[in-house]
């Protein structure tokens, strides 16, 4: 059975390590904050100028002025710091983020990512994605495996305008997990969602990859 949004976010959260500084993109990636394992000390950063983001608030905790880059209300932690978006992007561009978790419309077999626009549709802006894929040490993408019309979103080559070239290190879809150990090599299929078969993933994937399932 395909993973739901929270299961994909929980899988991404397993990649976080103690002491990491992490940026979470809008959409499913924001849910990662709710799945960080106890004992793992991670500092979450947001492009709008916040360092130290807690889980989403309960109804009683909501502060309409305390939001992330996706305009969702968030909570503080004891060491939260606030600053300008210029300082925030200096952190990103300076290579100080260990990892970023992003959503995507398409990922290519060579690690290209398209996640900021669809030609002909209204775009609010590219946000920080282009800076994040260039400045973060590791890029994880969470997305559905196929689009609404059933076409593969993990493709031989992206058909949409690129956000970054060759930058994706780990791809988590609702069907499977693909990893590259370095950015010159191919993606390897390393995990399947419960009840999903390798044949099903192959049939729904345009991209070439190496099957490397344990067992």
């Amino acid at each position: 059975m395909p993973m739901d949004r929270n299961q994909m976010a929980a899988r991404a959260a397993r990649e976080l390590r103690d002491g990491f500084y992490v940026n979470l993109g809008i959409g499913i990636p924001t849910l990662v904050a709710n799945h960080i394992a106890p004992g793992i000390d991670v500092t979450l950063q947001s492009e709008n100028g916040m360092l130290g983001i807690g889980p989403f608030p309960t109804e009683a905790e909501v502060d309409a002025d305390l939001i992330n880059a996706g305009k969702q209300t968030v909570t503080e932690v004891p060491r939260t710091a606030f600053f300008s978006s210029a300082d925030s992007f200096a952190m990103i561009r300076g290579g100080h983020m260990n990892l970023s978790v992003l959503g995507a419309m398409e990922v290519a077999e060579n690690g290209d990512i398209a996640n900021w626009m669809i030609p002909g549709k209204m775009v609010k802006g590219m946000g920080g994605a282009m800076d994040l894929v260039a400045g973060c040490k590791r890029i994880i993408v969470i997305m559905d495996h196929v689009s609404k019309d059933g076409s593969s979103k993990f493709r031989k080559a992206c058909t949409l305008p690129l956000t970054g070239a060759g930058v994706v290190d780990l791809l988590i879809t609702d069907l499977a997990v693909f990893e590259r150990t370095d950015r010159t090599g191919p993606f390897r299929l390393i995990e399947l969602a419960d009840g999903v078969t390798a044949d099903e993933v192959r049939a729904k994937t345009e991209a070439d990859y190496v099957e490397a399932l344990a067992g």
Side-chain angles (χ1 to χ4, degrees):
M1 186 173 180
M3 290 188 281
D4 62 24
R5 293 163 57 92
N6 276 294
Q7 288 171 318
M8 287 191 280
R11 176 60 186 84
R14 285 166 46 192
E15 299 297 312
L16 275 55
R17 299 290 180 264
D18 205 43
F20 269 19
Y21 288 86
V22 178
N23 181 286
L24 302 178
I26 62 173
I28 300 175
T30 60
L31 298 174
V32 172
N34 295 336
H35 296 281
I36 298 171
I40 300 294
D41 185 14
V42 170
T43 303
L44 301 178
Q45 190 255 20
S46 184
E47 299 99 297
N48 60 326
M50 189 173 178
L51 187 66
I53 301 172
F56 284 128
T58 63
E59 192 171 335
E61 293 175 321
V62 169
D63 179 345
D65 293 322
L66 196 61
I67 59 172
N68 61 21
K71 299 182 175 58
Q72 297 166 306
T73 53
V74 293
T75 58
E76 298 173 278
V77 294
R79 61 175 181 267
T80 298
F82 300 94
F83 35 83
S84 74
S85 60
D87 290 326
S88 183
F89 276 93
M91 294 176 185
I92 295 166
R93 292 167 182 163
H96 302 292
M97 294 295 112
N98 297 97
L99 184 151
S100 182
V101 185
L102 300 172
M105 299 162 189
E106 294 177 339
V107 170
E109 62 186 42
N110 67 348
D112 293 352
I113 176 176
N115 83 335
W116 75 279
M117 74 167 294
I118 298 175
K121 292 196 175 183
M122 178 72 76
V123 180
K124 293 181 180 179
M126 68 180 66
M130 291 183 179
D131 295 277
L132 288 164
V133 298
C136 291
K137 296 178 177 71
R138 191 161 191 247
I139 300 296
I140 295 174
V141 169
I142 302 176
M143 70 177 188
D144 289 333
H145 202 90
V146 300
S147 60
K148 291 180 180 178
D149 66 5
S151 59
S152 176
K153 295 175 67 172
F154 185 22
R155 309 178 62 96
K156 287 188 174 298
C158 292
T159 63
L160 298 172
L162 292 188
T163 307
V167 294
V168 179
D169 300 294
L170 187 75
L171 172 61
I172 300 168
T173 77
D174 55 334
L175 300 183
V177 180
F178 303 85
E179 183 178 42
R180 291 197 300 172
T181 52
D182 68 74
R183 291 186 174 179
T184 62
F187 278 97
R188 298 160 59 248
L189 171 62
I190 59 171
E191 296 172 28
L192 297 169
D194 288 343
V196 174
T197 66
D199 287 343
E200 180 182 353
V201 171
R202 182 71 68 180
K204 293 181 177 180
T205 308
E206 181 187 289
D208 287 329
Y209 57 86
V210 176
E211 193 171 305
L213 296 167

